Each structure stands twice: as structure tokens, then as C-alpha cells.
């Protein structure tokens, strides 16, 4: 029997996080296989890439092609539209206060993935295997990813970037916890009469956050409208004119008349966490390790931090002559990524559930917190910096001056 081709690392999953993980390893000389089919991305979704993620993409050689199609998020406005008795005034956060041109940049998901694929096709030390992974077999000095056609790819370290229904996670027997919310999110692209002025606006409603995020050109934005599940389904069935009118009304006509300007998506609101993001010769990144609602631009950015942190762990193991797929080499990665995921998941979950409760004490606490962040400058700056990139343990390629 012919032995399967062998690599130092094999990344399973060809989405944004998988592409970034593979490119990050390959750029530093790690012989890497990227396993996964390159499917279409066309559900009207965009991603807000925070400052650290932009630095990471730049280090991977992908940002130059993405930047002309991205819009800066120079300000964030939060408006309480819950109808609560305790309603704080609108909050305004400005990126220049923490020394940034923008908190991040908003780009269409399809554009981001296409640009990363272009870089991957010509990257040194990277082999693309456009096939589905079916199973994982772990050995003493390597693991083998079994493909749908029965062939295999062997590697010292396998990276699972194959999403919330990860085949690799299931094959490794890693325990997971899942939950759901009584909500869904409508996503689409919008054109509007008034300019957005690089301001992202988030309305906190009793059914969930309603968020408008700038796109290039000044008169286009992306929508993430989290609302009750049945209401979301009804909205998804409206024709374009009726949906645009509903969005305009919910946005209090702040951007004037609107029209639908791209495909739509209907995203279930669910969550997933794992007992550990590592197993024998396996590391989980992105939604294979954590899933939570599309709130606060945290999901993909958390996954990109996973990818960047894994690259640091592998290079650290190589420099010390250790096996990069060993539990010892992955221990630090597991601790830091578990901590980051827990904190982000808890913050998003708390915000979302606090909007749904309708209890005056909960509304009061949320309002007091927002007022404190807007009125106490040192606290406001800390919150803004941590929201963009955690200062403790930030991966090397996400720091200022990364190369």
C-alpha cells in the first residue's frame, strides 16, 4: 500500500480562517497542505476586519488586493431602541481616540475569500488539495486525514478549520456544548441616499441588535438585523422594496431612502464551545472551536486570532526542536485560545440575552455600563482597545510593525 503524502501541517477547511492558517504557516517555511473545496460565498454577508486582523492579512500578502474594496469603520454609534424605562443617550466611539485611523475595515465576504485564494494558489510551501475530508486517524508521529475518495494526507499537525459541524472535531472525540437563541439574522447589502460617513451604527432593540456597517463609496452599507426567528423569516420572504422599507423604518431613516443592493442571507443564532481546542496532533481554529451570533464583529476576528496564534505556537516548537503536533507544543495555544474564546463568547451572550429579557434591573445595568464607557475616558479607551485586539498575548503577526 502506498504511503500518503506527508506534510508538517495539514489545514482542513478552505474558508477564510483555514486559508489564513495555511498561509500563516507556509509563509514561514512550514510545508503545509490545505484540504477543502473552494465553494461559492454569496449570501449577502460582509465581515468587519478589526485592526489586528488587517495587520495579519497584510503580513500574509493579501490585504493590498482587499483594501480598495473595504470601507473604514472610523466611528461606532450605539443607540438604545429597546423602549426601556432606562434608556441611555446614544453612545459614540471614535477610533482616533486610541490612535487608529479606523477600528477596522468592512469588506464583502466573497471578496475576502477570493483574494485569499489568489494568494494561496501561488504561495510557496503550500499544496492545495481540493477534496472533502472524511475522517482523522491519529498515529504516534503523525495523523492522517482521510479524504472522501479514500486517499489520505499525513501531517505532524492537523488544523481543523472545517466549521461548526467539524468532521475533524468529531473524529477526534472532542466534547462540544451547543445552544441556540430564539432569533435569526437577516443579512444583505444596501444602497442609501445619505452618506454613512464611515460610521457603523448599532441599534439595540428588544429582539436583538440591528447593525448598519459602512461599505465603500459612502452610500452603501451592509445589514445584520438580529430579530425574533419568526419575524426574521417573514422579513426574508418580503420582496426587495418591502424589505428596504422595513430596514429604513427600523433605522429611523437615518440614511434616507434605501434599496436592496445584493444577495440576502438568513443566519440562525446559535452557539458552540469546546472542552479543549486541541487533541492528539489536532488544533481547532475558527468555528470548529467556537460559534456565536454575528454580533459585535467578534466571530471571524476571533478565528483569525486562532490562526495567527497557532502559527506562533508551531514556530515556537520548531525553534526549540519540539514536535509541533505534540500536546506539550500546543498547551500554550490551548490555554490562550480557550481564555479568549470564553471571554468573547460570554460578552456576546450577555449582551444578546440582556436585550431579550425586558427586565428593568437588567436594562438599568446595561444602560449604566454604556454611560460609564462613554463618560469615563480611560475606561472607554480600554474597552475600545480590547474590542479591537486583546493586548495580552496578541499574536505576533497582529501586532504593530508585524512583518
Amino acid at each position: 500500500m502506498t504511503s500518503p503524502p506527508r506534510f508538517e501541517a495539514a489545514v482542513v477547511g478552505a474558508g477564510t480562517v483555514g486559508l489564513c492558517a495555511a498561509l500563516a504557516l507556509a509563509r514561514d517555511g512550514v510545508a503545509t497542505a490545505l484540504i477543502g473545496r473552494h465553494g461559492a460565498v454569496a449570501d449577502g454577508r460582509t465581515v468587519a476586519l478589526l485592526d489586528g486582523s488587517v495587520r495579519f492579512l497584510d503580513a500574509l500578502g493579501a490585504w493590498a488586493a482587499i483594501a480598495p474594496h473595504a470601507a473604514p469603520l472610523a466611528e461606532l454609534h450605539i443607540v438604545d431602541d429597546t423602549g426601556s424605562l432606562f434608556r441611555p443617550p446614544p453612545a459614540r466611539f471614535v477610533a482616533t481616540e486610541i490612535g487608529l485611523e479606523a477600528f477596522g475595515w468592512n469588506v464583502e465576504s466573497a471578496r475576502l475569500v477570493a483574494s485569499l485564494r489568489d494568494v494561496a494558489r501561488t504561495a510557496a510551501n503550500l499544496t492545495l488539495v481540493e477534496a472533502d475530508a472524511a475522517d482523522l486517524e491519529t498515529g504516534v508521529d503523525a495523523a492522517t486525514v482521510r479524504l472522501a475518495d479514500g486517499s489520505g494526507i499525513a501531517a505532524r499537525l492537523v488544523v481543523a478549520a472545517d466549521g461548526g459541524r467539524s468532521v475533524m472535531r468529531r473524529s477526534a472525540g472532542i466534547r462540544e456544548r451547543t445552544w441556540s437563541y430564539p432569533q435569526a439574522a437577516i443579512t444583505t447589502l444596501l444602497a442609501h441616499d445619505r452618506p454613512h460617513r464611515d460610521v457603523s451604527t448599532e441599534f439595540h432593540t428588544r429582539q436583538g441588535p440591528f447593525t448598519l456597517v459602512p461599505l465603500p463609496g459612502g452610500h452603501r452599507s451592509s445589514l445584520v438585523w438580529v430579530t425574533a426567528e419568526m419575524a426574521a423569516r417573514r422579513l426574508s420572504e418580503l420582496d426587495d422594496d418591502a424589505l428596504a422599507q422595513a430596514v429604513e423604518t427600523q433605522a429611523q431613516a437615518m440614511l434616507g431612502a434605501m434599496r436592496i443592493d445584493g444577495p440576502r442571507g438568513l443566519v440562525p443564532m446559535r452557539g458552540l464551545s469546546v472542552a479543549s481546542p486541541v487533541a492528539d496532533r489536532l488544533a481547532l481554529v475558527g468555528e470548529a472551536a467556537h460559534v456565536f451570533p454575528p454580533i459585535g464583529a467578534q466571530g471571524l476576528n476571533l478565528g483569525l486570532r486562532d490562526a495567527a496564534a497557532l502559527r506562533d505556537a508551531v514556530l515556537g516548537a520548531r525553534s526549540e526542536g519540539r514536535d509541533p503536533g505534540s500536546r506539550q507544543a500546543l498547551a500554550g495555544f490551548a490555554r490562550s485560545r480557550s481564555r479568549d474564546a470564553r471571554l468573547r463568547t460570554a460578552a456576546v451572550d450577555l449582551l444578546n440575552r440582556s436585550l431579550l429579557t425586558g427586565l428593568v434591573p437588567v436594562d438599568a445595568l446595561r444602560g449604566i455600563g454604556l454611560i460609564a464607557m462613554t463618560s469615563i475616558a480611560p475606561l472607554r479607551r480600554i474597552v475600545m482597545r480590547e474590542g479591537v485586539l486583546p493586548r495580552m498575548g496578541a499574536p505576533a503577526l497582529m501586532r504593530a510593525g508585524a512583518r
Side-chain angles (χ1 to χ4, degrees), residues 108-135:
E108 293 182 39
S109 299
R111 174 74 63 176
L112 172 61
V113 172
S115 298
L116 287 167
R117 287 174 183 168
D118 287 344
V119 176
R121 289 187 186 102
T122 59
N125 307 307
L126 182 58
T127 300
L128 305 183
V129 182
E130 294 205 33
D132 291 328
D135 198 6

Side-chain angles (χ1 to χ4, degrees), residues 70-307:
L73 310 181
E75 295 188 22
L76 169 63
H77 295 179
I78 297 178
V79 179
D80 190 306
D81 193 26
T82 60
S84 169
L85 294 174
F86 191 97
R87 293 179 62 187
R92 177 172 175 258
F93 302 91
V94 182
T96 54
E97 187 177 356
I98 55 173
L100 296 177
E101 176 188 357
F103 293 117
W105 301 76
N106 195 38
V107 64
E108 293 182 39
S109 299
R111 174 74 63 176
L112 172 61
V113 172
S115 298
L116 287 167
R117 287 174 183 168
D118 287 344
V119 176
R121 289 187 186 102
T122 59
N125 307 307
L126 182 58
T127 300
L128 305 183
V129 182
E130 294 205 33
D132 291 328
D135 198 6
L136 177 68
E137 300 172 2
T138 304
V140 175
D141 63 350
T144 300
V145 179
R146 289 295 172 195
L147 306 181
D149 64 3
S151 63
I153 300 290
R156 298 175 77 190
L157 171 65
V158 173
V159 182
D162 52 344
R165 296 177 176 83
S166 171
V167 171
M168 296 295 98
R169 184 185 66 230
R170 186 176 66 245
S171 296
I174 295 177
R175 290 187 295 111
E176 64 191 58
R177 182 175 72 90
T178 61
W179 62 96
S180 61
Y181 301 90
Q183 301 158 287
I186 296 286
T187 63
T188 193
L189 309 180
L190 304 164
H192 40 79
D193 285 352
R194 296 175 187 160
H196 53 57
R197 304 186 189 281
D198 299 332
V199 175
S200 179
T201 304
E202 184 172 295
F203 292 85
H204 288 174
T205 80
R206 190 54 77 197
Q207 291 74 42
F210 170 95
T211 309
L212 297 169
V213 191
L215 283 171
H219 290 265
R220 295 179 74 238
S221 295
S222 61
L223 169 73
V224 180
W225 187 351
V226 178
T227 188
E229 188 172 9
M230 290 304 296
R233 294 191 181 281
R234 286 194 296 271
L235 287 166
S236 71
E237 294 168 358
L238 296 176
D239 62 32
D240 282 357
D241 289 344
L243 179 58
Q245 182 60 56
V247 172
E248 182 182 334
T249 299
Q250 185 64 58
Q252 302 177 10
M254 61 173 288
L255 294 176
M258 292 189 172
R259 64 180 176 84
I260 305 303
D261 197 35
R264 307 181 192 185
L266 182 62
V267 183
M269 296 284 284
R270 59 192 181 90
L272 178 147
S273 64
V274 295
S276 171
V278 302
D280 291 339
R281 303 207 167 274
L282 179 68
L284 310 183
V285 297
E287 291 196 343
H290 41 73
V291 175
F292 48 85
I295 295 173
Q298 294 300 317
L300 178 63
N301 289 283
L302 182 61
L304 294 180
R305 285 201 296 280
D306 295 341

Side-chain angles (χ1 to χ4, degrees), residues 17 21 50 52-53 56 159-160 272-279 282-292 297-314 329-346 386-396 398-399:
V17 174
L50 300 179
S53 296
F56 185 35
V159 182
L272 178 147
S273 64
V274 295
S276 171
V278 302
L282 179 68
L284 310 183
V285 297
E287 291 196 343
H290 41 73
V291 175
F292 48 85
Q298 294 300 317
L300 178 63
N301 289 283
L302 182 61
L304 294 180
R305 285 201 296 280
D306 295 341
L310 184 62
R311 172 257 184 195
D312 291 352
V314 170
L330 296 172
F333 167 84
R335 286 193 300 271
S336 68
R337 302 318 307 142
S338 293
R339 179 174 59 248
D340 196 3
R342 282 196 303 270
L343 289 173
R344 304 288 159 163
T345 301
E386 285 300 307
V388 170
L389 179 67
R391 307 193 87 180
M392 183 180 296
M398 289 189 164
R399 299 173 197 156

